[in-house]
Amino acid sequence: MKNQRVLILDFGGQYNQLIARRVREWNVYCEVAPYTIPIAEIQKRDPIGIIFTGGPNSVTEKGAPSVDPALLELGIPVLGLCYGCQLMAKLCGGEVGSAPVKEFGKTLAQFDRSSPLFRDLPQEGAVWMSHNDYIRRLPEGFRSVAQTADCPVAAMENPERRLFGMQYHPEVNHTENGLQMLRGFLFDVCGARGDWTMGSYASQAIEEVRQKVGGGKVLLALSGGVDSSVCAALLSQAIGEQLTCIFVDTGLMRKDEGDEVERAFKTMPIRFVRVSAADHFLGKLGGVTDPELKRRIIGEEFIRVFEQEAKKIGAVDYLAQGTIYPDVIESGAGDAATIKSHHNVGGLPDTIGFKAIIEPLRLLFKDEVRTLGTELGLPDYLVWRQPFPGPGLAVRVLGEITEEKLAILREADAIFREEVAKAGLERSIGQYFAVLTDMRSVGVMGDGRTYDYTLALRAVNTTDFMTADWVRLPYEVLDRTSIRIVNEVGRINRIVYDVTSKPPATIEWE
Ligand code: XMP
């Protein structure tokens, strides 16, 4: 059965992916497309509704992003948000101009509860505003259904034409009941059924893979990260032993990680190859201290090892990748036909001959990938794995990498993760890990003087990895972690907590 779909036209706003995620939270499938998409293509996709996103421009500028006004005559319900709302007003004959009072941030609004956007919601609530322009005069046939002290048209509607707009951002958490307002548009206006579930996605995707692959062979580089793991689980259900997964164990993973990956995939009816290449990687990294050089060596060696193993398997027809929807959107126009460099390993070889790429997760957001992973029976330790850099612990052991330093870091990092988990914070922190600095300092243990390493703990929250905020971890968690590490792992006599955000720091230390 085909899913209903909503089309989101992207005008370049910063929350566009968030809008798509919110729509999907209501189990409604949606796609993001550039605002330049031709009307004929929109009709072909047959959406039950269209959302215009916000954007950085002003509709009053010459050449500002716009759409063919005929789009508003198709009879398909449209919801304009922020810039999208102003654009709708302008295209329908209203007037948009510079607002006498600009609104930024949380603002109190009053709602008209006879509108399907606000039915059953409180009459008053905070909304998240971010605009310089405002709707000065409503287009004919429209009425204002929400107001703030400085904005007479915080939301508008023309129910006959099924056109709606919100000046604020219902998709961000700061807007109270924003999700419910989107629900009003999706279900009460567009007639959504909420038919998008990961169970139905899995069976559809499995069927599609079977049809595409036929009796062919598929190769997947499995890193043990969430995306490639879920991709492997899905493919294993679709094509079983036609799939070969190559897992290159660089020896730079966290404690027990290589075994965990093997344990999860050994039992699946696929061909699983674990290449234990720790000595090889450590050999190549000997004496190297420059972070970029470390990355380059690991990237190049990874490809070499992968290629060698792939050759042993012989000709393959398809290369599978765990590309997910944010990568597709970012690569432009929802067209990910080009081979993206793999998230975790930085560029897979194109010297292995294959006919095409398959990307069974390319329509999913990260949270959906996790739900799907659970649906497919993957263990929590894989599904909820935090992001881990391709070069692994090599960029968390500062300076020269040695077997001994790696072993110290692995133990310390495992204790930190255990303590965070014990405090129940595991899923609420984006990324947290330990870093073994190259610095040593003086300490005292028992009656003796020590001269040992300083370990740093880092925990950050981030939505896009471009910026990140350091996490205010409870002192008790830091305290327990610190005491345990110093007592249980040798060679560390000082522990510091990283209280810098990104920017100016990066998430990793190297
Ligand atoms: P930074 O340190 O640049 O990290 O703030 C942003 C995010 O990317 C991860 N990261 C990497 N991932 N290969 C990867 O696949 C890499 O070389 C790499 N370096 C950093 C990092 O863990 C964080 O999630």
Side-chain angles (χ1 to χ4, degrees), residues 295 342-345 387-391 395-396 431 433 465 502 505-510:
R295 274 202 164 72
H342 193 280
H343 319 293
N344 285 312
V345 293
F388 186 61
V395 291
R396 294 180 183 169
Q431 206 174 351
F433 52 88
F465 296 98
K502 174 184 181 175
T506 50
I507 296 174
E508 303 288 345
W509 277 41
E510 277 195 343

Side-chain angles (χ1 to χ4, degrees), residues 81-102:
L81 301 179
C82 198
Y83 179 86
C85 177
Q86 296 172 358
L87 180 65
M88 178 187 282
K90 184 171 171 228
L91 291 176
C92 293
E95 200 184 316
V96 177
S98 180
V101 181
K102 329 270 182 223

Side-chain angles (χ1 to χ4, degrees), residues 153-335:
V153 185
M156 64 176 192
E157 69 172 22
N158 182 333
E160 289 74 39
R161 295 175 65 190
R162 300 203 289 171
L163 302 179
F164 296 81
M166 300 180 201
Q167 177 57 68
Y168 53 88
H169 291 273
E171 69 275 18
V172 305
N173 286 333
H174 305 292
T175 295
E176 285 168 14
N177 298 307
L179 259 174
Q180 296 295 331
M181 296 170 190
L182 284 175
R183 188 192 181 286
F185 175 71
L186 295 170
F187 286 77
D188 299 343
V189 178
C190 303
R193 290 188 299 262
D195 59 6
W196 169 250
T197 62
M198 281 306 105
S200 71
Y201 178 83
S203 45
Q204 248 170 340
I206 287 171
E207 198 41 48
E208 271 167 31
V209 169
R210 281 185 187 145
Q211 272 177 15
K212 179 160 183 182
V213 169
K217 273 198 204 175
V218 181
L219 185 64
L220 170 72
L222 184 66
S223 69
V226 183
D227 304 339
S228 70
S229 295
V230 175
C231 189
L234 187 113
L235 292 175
S236 91
Q237 295 202 3
I239 53 168
E241 290 190 3
Q242 288 163 258
L243 171 71
T244 304
C245 291
I246 298 181
F247 167 49
V248 177
D249 185 350
T250 57
L252 300 167
M253 301 189 81
R254 288 167 295 196
K255 188 178 179 186
D256 298 332
E257 212 162 29
D259 294 341
E260 281 175 3
V261 174
E262 178 162 353
R263 191 166 2 114
F265 291 99
K266 256 287 188 279
T267 54
M268 287 188 191
I270 55 173
R271 295 172 62 187
F272 174 85
V273 183
R274 176 174 179 177
V275 190
S276 299
D279 291 346
H280 178 82
F281 279 89
L282 267 184
K284 294 283 175 188
L285 288 167
V288 178
T289 55
D290 177 66
E292 283 315 301
L293 188 55
K294 284 183 186 175
R295 274 202 164 72
R296 214 166 46 242
I297 291 173
I298 294 166
E300 284 169 10
E301 288 312 308
F302 183 93
I303 289 174
R304 210 153 291 155
V305 174
F306 185 83
E307 250 171 348
Q308 262 173 19
E309 289 304 314
K311 273 200 196 111
K312 291 184 198 161
I313 293 158
V316 294
D317 305 285
Y318 299 94
L319 189 67
Q321 288 195 157
T323 313
I324 66 172
Y325 202 45
D327 308 329
V328 175
I329 300 176
E330 271 152 30
S331 76
D335 173 16

Side-chain angles (χ1 to χ4, degrees), residues 2-115:
K2 212 170 124 264
N3 288 107
Q4 292 181 316
R5 99 179 57 193
V6 164
L7 200 59
I8 295 173
L9 293 198
D10 185 348
F11 288 92
Q14 56 175 326
Y15 301 125
N16 296 353
Q17 285 197 30
L18 190 57
I19 298 171
R21 279 168 53 194
R22 294 288 184 244
V23 171
R24 292 199 187 179
E25 278 175 35
W26 286 114
N27 296 332
V28 176
Y29 176 65
C30 63
E31 286 171 356
V32 181
Y35 70 89
T36 49
I37 183 174
I39 288 201
E41 174 61 25
I42 293 180
Q43 284 176 304
K44 214 165 83 195
R45 296 198 194 184
D46 190 24
I48 58 167
I50 298 174
I51 296 178
F52 292 174
T53 73
N57 301 73
S58 163
V59 298
T60 60
E61 286 163 17
K62 233 176 111 201
S66 187
V67 292
D68 184 341
L71 181 55
L72 301 173
E73 309 294 339
L74 297 177
I76 304 171
V78 181
L79 172 66
L81 301 179
C82 198
Y83 179 86
C85 177
Q86 296 172 358
L87 180 65
M88 178 187 282
K90 184 171 171 228
L91 291 176
C92 293
E95 200 184 316
V96 177
S98 180
V101 181
K102 329 270 182 223
E103 291 173 307
F104 291 95
K106 260 190 182 182
T107 313
L108 194 65
Q110 265 77 37
F111 309 106
D112 179 337
R113 288 192 286 179
S114 67
S115 165

